[in-house]
Amino acid sequence: MAPKRPQAPQPPGNTGAPRGKRRESPLDFAGHGVKFLGVSVLSGVLLAGLALPAVGAIGLTAKDTAESFANISDDFKTPPLTQATQIFDAKGGLIAKVYERDRTVLTADQMSTYMRQAQVDIEDARFYEHGAVDLKGVLRAIGKNAESGTASQGASTLTQQYVKNVNVEKAGDDQAAVLEAQRKTLGRKIQELKVAIKLEEDLSKDQILTNYLNITFYGHQAYGVEAASQRYFSKSNKDLTIAEAATLAGMVQNPSSFDPVRYPENTVKRRNVVIDKMVENKHITADQAKEAKAAPLGLKFKDPQNGCITAQAGMGFFCDYVRHVVKQDPAFGKNAADRKKLWDTGGLNIYTTLDPDKQAAAQNAVTKKVNVTDSVSAAATMMEPGSGKILAMAQTRPYGLDPNKNQTVVNLNVDASMGGGNGFQTGSTFKPILAAAALESGMSATQAFPSQNKIDYPQMSTCSGTWKNTDKPKATVKNEQDSEVGPYELKEAMARSVNTYFVQMEQQVGLCSMKQMANKLGITQSAKGDAFQEVPSMVLGTMELSPLTMANVYATFAARGKYCTPIAINKISTVDGKDVAVPQSTCSQAFSENTADNLNTVLLNVTEKGTAASLTLDDGRQIAGKTGTTDEKKAAWFSGYTPSLATSVWLGGPAGGVKMKNITIGGHYFSEVFGADGPGPIWQMAMNQALKGTAKEQLQTVNIPDPVKTDPNAGATPPADPNAQQPGGNPPPAQGGNPPPAQGGNPGGNPAGGANNAGGMIGGGFTFPPGIIGGNGNGGNGNGGKHGGNNG
């Protein structure tokens, strides 16, 4: 029962007794009419109907009116309704549903007949009898509102309501435009009426009703009858009962007041009013109505599930990466505004490259080996060699917005521009890139270099000139262990990760050739977006890159030199079955197959006899790869591959500042973390699970003979600088104290680096060349500042 209206105070002498009905004068009737015109939302409709020939009074000419009647926007005939987009994995499993407005557009025959009848009966029972304006309804509203003195009775037809809803939909997220579309002004009502009249000429009543049912808001982020049916009853609209259809139809008038979740009693009352209307209009029988009214509300409510945050199995980060692809790749629109419109409009079925089995393998490994509460995190990307397809993207910390639960939306697997962080120094996992450049230039895989334990960075050629070591004292590089004294050839130098060998190789090949090879492998800038710097420390992994970038580098090794740009999307279709063009991977031969086979042989030796010898797979298949550890153990990597799968794993502090010494990770204590014992076991676990049951494949290799050393001390140098950090091997060496700071180091200018610095000592036993931040500007402090890299 509606609450009683409060009684106004009685004037003196008023006894409250009923009075006889006062005869009203024509002036009184005129007063009611004026009040109605002032308060009724139908005033615009009434005046529009009476005054259209005299539209000049409100600034419209007859010519304007005629043209606007003849030319209405196609948006009103076939509105561009925002719909939900669904993102699927490579096997068709749903990753997530994302939308600006949760809506699934239906055709008339996909809708419940009860739903269509109920909505008409409660909103506009004479819909099929009148035109755009219901004159009987207008007159009825005038009478009702004049009696009550309020605008309690409306007379907008269903077609007029539809036109208003289209204007609101077109306003999108622009709140000012939404309010403007909802303003109850004379001019707006006339405009809506003109469109409604034209629509009634161009569209059938059934089509107008279908459009109306697809656009209307039903509360709880549900737009259109299909989303509403799924939200409240967990079923398709065509399967609704009479009672369920009446429930939804009744909500349209006020989705807040008739919210079945918050106000079930109000909703049931409103539902029953709708059922009575259906009987009155002979759409159901009295017996059907009795049964429907006796039915419980029967909600099976599902909370709105929107966005990548709803993705399961750690797929939220990949989902977010797909979003960035659609919003940034020119394949989806000429400019950012067009691409955003495509994403916001939705209605897409996006079929991605993500392999759910490999995703599960990667996610299991990064969460089993590293706890979400640890100070460090792990990230892993898997790629298919030769296709550019991203197969998995996992990280320890879950996708989400609650830092108290260690959640993050920063995708540590990708570059900053794609929703990632600033990347991480890659350490010695960068060395194979120089090796590829050297082999491609014609250098033999048996090329030996003196590889002394410690050397000054030598002068090197660049793409634009010459890099010179102008630091005072000169910038130096040192091997990880004192016992690492050459000469060495490539295979053994890579297995041991001998720093001085690769710096001497770098000098012979030239910085420009290494940069050009890195460019061919997709490395054109840092993960943050900084320009590529031609400096000698680059070969030791000082450039900050993402796991996705490094996974693709090693996928190129696995594909015998065939580089393919990464792709995350296989196919996109609209809800009506039309295909949308998607970006294709662009492939090129970064280096020859012969170079690749030599490189495979070298990297296979790393996993068989070198720093990664402990990382065998359960089925004994061949694997190739490279370990990497950076300055002060702030990041550790293992990137490796088989012919069919390449995986890169990073381990470290998400912000890059955690020194992984005397640290517990995943419940295990580490005196120091190296590539083989930190990220290596994560890679091993992920690859074991991902490759289980698949065919074993052999790497394409060549015969690289082992060197015959006649003098084990050849190339030896005096004992290491006592100011340098004591070495650590891989496996880890015995513990030692922290090194004292390096002495001297007056700053010296460097034309190539463009900066003056002392070239501080790198924590892993080498110093920065000029032009790279290091030291403290007062001679170096032994920490290498921001940049650095170790072997192992």
Side-chain angles (χ1 to χ4, degrees):
M1 176 181 293
K4 293 182 178 180
R5 297 178 61 187
Q7 297 294 317
Q10 300 294 324
N14 186 348
T15 63
R19 296 183 177 183
K21 186 173 182 180
R22 183 171 65 87
R23 184 176 180 182
E24 298 193 30
S25 68
L27 187 60
D28 292 325
F29 282 115
H32 286 314
V34 171
K35 180 180 285 187
F36 169 70
L37 293 177
V39 301
S40 175
V41 296
L42 296 171
S43 60
V45 175
L46 178 62
L47 287 178
L50 297 176
L52 279 174
V55 289
I58 57 171
L60 297 173
T61 67
K63 182 176 182 293
D64 291 333
T65 305
E67 288 181 353
S68 60
F69 265 72
N71 300 292
I72 65 169
S73 169
D74 286 339
D75 288 349
F76 289 100
K77 300 176 184 177
T78 309
L81 300 178
T82 56
Q83 300 185 64
T85 283
Q86 298 186 98
I87 302 175
F88 300 94
D89 63 36
K91 292 188 175 181
L94 181 65
I95 294 175
K97 184 166 71 170
V98 297
Y99 52 79
E100 293 299 312
R101 292 184 175 177
D102 189 9
R103 177 189 283 117
T104 300
V105 174
L106 301 180
T107 58
D109 59 359
Q110 292 172 321
M111 294 178 180
S112 162
T113 301
Y114 294 136
M115 184 75 236
R116 295 173 70 86
Q117 292 169 340
Q119 201 69 76
V120 169
D121 290 343
I122 193 62
E123 290 295 318
D124 187 0
R126 300 185 61 256
F127 173 65
Y128 283 95
E129 301 171 25
H130 60 66
V133 180
D134 181 7
L135 295 179
K136 286 186 178 180
V138 170
L139 294 175
R140 182 179 66 251
I142 290 175
K144 293 287 186 181
N145 291 330
E147 282 183 18
S148 64
T150 68
S152 60
Q153 182 78 34
S156 289
T157 63
L158 191 145
T159 305
Q160 291 170 263
Q161 293 179 44
Y162 166 68
V163 172
K164 180 178 180 179
N165 284 342
V166 172
N167 284 327
V168 172
E169 180 77 18
K170 289 168 67 177
D173 294 329
D174 186 338
Q175 290 302 310
V178 170
L179 291 174
E180 177 63 25
Q182 294 175 330
R183 280 204 310 151
K184 298 176 181 178
T185 63
L186 175 60
R188 177 156 296 284
K189 295 300 292 186
I190 291 176
Q191 292 290 346
E192 289 176 359
L193 177 59
K194 290 193 299 182
V195 174
I197 291 171
K198 181 60 178 173
L199 275 178
E200 293 265 356
E201 295 176 2
D202 293 349
L203 298 181
S204 69
K205 288 284 191 177
D206 280 342
Q207 186 57 56
I208 293 172
L209 175 60
T210 299
N211 288 358
Y212 175 88
L213 291 170
N214 277 321
I215 200 171
T216 300
F217 180 56
Y218 289 87
H220 287 281
Q221 299 182 36
Y223 290 81
V225 291
E226 179 63 13
S229 301
Q230 296 289 351
R231 178 78 72 252
Y232 297 108
F233 299 109
S234 298
K235 62 170 65 173
S236 179
N237 184 259
K238 68 180 186 302
D239 298 324
L240 294 183
T241 64
I242 293 172
E244 292 164 348
T247 298
L248 297 184
M251 293 174 62
V252 170
Q253 184 186 76
N254 193 328
S256 297
S257 297
F258 301 124
D259 179 347
V261 178
R262 298 181 62 192
Y263 307 113
E265 292 183 0
N266 285 356
T267 305
V268 169
K269 290 178 182 178
R270 176 68 174 168
R271 177 198 72 177
N272 292 345
V273 170
V274 176
I275 292 171
D276 286 340
K277 286 286 186 181
M278 295 179 76
V279 175
E280 181 182 325
N281 289 286
K282 297 181 172 55
H283 285 135
I284 60 173
T285 65
D287 288 341
Q288 287 176 307
K290 182 178 180 181
E291 181 180 351
K293 285 185 176 182
L297 195 53
L299 291 184
K300 291 184 179 178
F301 182 77
K302 291 189 295 190
D303 283 317
Q305 297 290 306
N306 181 23
C308 295
I309 202 167
T310 65
Q312 301 299 310
M315 297 181 185
F317 296 103
F318 180 80
C319 171
D320 189 67
Y321 180 78
V322 170
R323 179 175 68 89
H324 277 85
V325 170
V326 174
K327 287 192 171 184
Q328 293 185 37
D329 197 294
F332 298 110
K334 295 180 180 178
N335 53 54
D338 288 345
R339 296 189 292 270
K340 182 179 185 300
K341 181 179 180 181
L342 174 67
W343 180 262
D344 292 348
T345 301
L348 305 174
N349 290 320
I350 302 177
Y351 301 93
T352 71
T353 61
L354 194 76
D355 183 314
D357 298 326
K358 291 178 174 57
Q359 174 67 26
Q363 187 66 23
N364 179 58
V366 297
T367 54
K368 286 288 179 64
K369 294 292 186 179
V370 184
N371 295 333
V372 70
T373 54
D374 288 344
S375 59
V376 298
S377 187
T381 297
M382 291 181 170
M383 296 195 69
E384 180 180 79
S387 72
K389 291 182 179 180
I390 303 169
L391 303 180
M393 193 176 281
Q395 69 187 58
T396 303
R397 299 188 180 181
Y399 187 87
L401 298 170
D402 190 349
N404 295 322
K405 295 180 180 178
N406 297 290
Q407 294 176 347
T408 180
V409 292
V410 178
N411 186 351
L412 299 177
N413 280 288
V414 302
D415 290 355
S417 63
M418 299 300 288
N422 293 332
F424 310 94
Q425 293 180 0
T426 60
S428 295
T429 58
F430 200 94
K431 288 173 180 173
I433 297 174
L434 171 62
L439 291 167
E440 189 71 358
S441 71
M443 184 180 291
S444 170
T446 59
Q447 173 68 52
F449 289 105
S451 311
Q452 301 93 329
N453 188 259
K454 179 181 178 181
I455 62 172
D456 294 341
Y457 276 104
Q459 179 174 299
M460 301 185 190
S461 64
T462 69
C463 292
S464 58
T466 303
W467 181 92
K468 296 180 180 180
N469 189 346
T470 58
D471 269 10
K472 296 180 180 179
K474 288 185 179 296
T476 63
V477 58
K478 186 181 183 299
N479 294 331
E480 182 74 12
Q481 299 186 33
D482 285 340
S483 61
E484 290 174 348
V485 177
Y488 290 111
E489 294 181 7
L490 176 58
K491 193 165 65 170
E492 186 176 5
M494 189 73 78
R496 290 174 175 266
S497 202
V498 180
N499 291 333
T500 58
Y501 177 92
F502 288 97
V503 170
Q504 290 167 346
M505 174 185 275
E506 187 179 34
Q507 179 192 27
Q508 182 161 327
V509 173
L511 293 175
C512 188
S513 291
M514 182 169 63
K515 176 184 177 181
Q516 290 171 346
M517 178 57 68
N519 291 166
K520 290 178 181 179
L521 295 170
I523 304 173
T524 57
Q525 60 184 13
S526 74
K528 184 181 178 181
D530 293 337
F532 198 114
Q533 302 233 346
E534 287 180 80
V535 291
S537 63
M538 179 170 59
V539 72
L540 303 175
T542 56
M543 193 172 184
E544 292 165 328
L545 302 172
S546 67
L548 173 59
T549 296
M550 293 307 293
N552 206 23
V553 167
Y554 281 74
T556 305
F557 299 161
R560 302 183 73 198
K562 182 181 178 181
Y563 168 80
C564 297
T565 55
I567 55 170
I569 300 171
N570 283 326
K571 177 185 175 182
I572 296 181
S573 61
T574 61
V575 290
D576 55 359
K578 296 178 181 177
D579 287 337
V580 175
V582 300
Q584 302 296 312
S585 181
T586 302
C587 298
S588 59
Q589 198 70 28
F591 48 83
S592 70
E593 291 185 350
N594 181 61
T595 292
D597 296 346
N598 275 273
L599 193 59
N600 281 339
T601 307
V602 169
L603 295 178
L604 177 62
N605 196 54
V606 173
T607 62
E608 291 182 341
K609 299 178 181 179
T611 56
S614 62
L615 302 179
T616 57
L617 296 186
D618 292 345
D619 59 10
R621 75 177 66 209
Q622 283 185 331
I623 58 173
K626 185 69 185 76
T627 55
T629 312
T630 68
D631 181 27
E632 296 183 306
K633 311 299 185 289
K634 289 182 179 178
W637 293 74
F638 185 73
S639 297
Y641 57 92
T642 68
S644 62
L645 184 61
T647 301
S648 186
V649 176
W650 158 87
L651 175 68
V658 179
K659 300 176 183 179
M660 293 186 290
K661 298 180 180 181
N662 301 313
I663 188 172
T664 298
I665 302 174
H668 297 281
Y669 173 78
F670 294 83
S671 58
E672 290 184 282
V673 171
F674 293 85
D677 55 21
I682 298 173
W683 182 94
Q684 185 181 40
M685 176 181 282
M687 291 290 278
N688 269 324
Q689 185 176 336
L691 293 170
K692 187 175 182 179
T694 64
K696 291 184 183 180
E697 300 169 285
Q698 293 292 113
L699 294 165
Q700 293 285 339
T701 59
V702 296
N703 179 41
I704 303 176
D706 293 327
V708 178
K709 286 190 177 180
T710 56
D711 182 359
N713 294 316
T717 59
D721 183 346
N723 291 323
Q725 178 178 322
Q726 293 303 309
N730 191 345
Q735 296 300 300
N738 292 326
Q743 300 300 312
N746 296 323
N750 177 17
N756 293 325
N757 66 69
M761 176 63 72
I762 302 306
F766 58 85
T767 58
F768 283 121
I772 293 295
I773 299 172
N776 58 14
N778 295 311
N781 63 7
N783 291 326
K786 178 181 177 183
H787 294 280
N790 291 344
N791 56 340

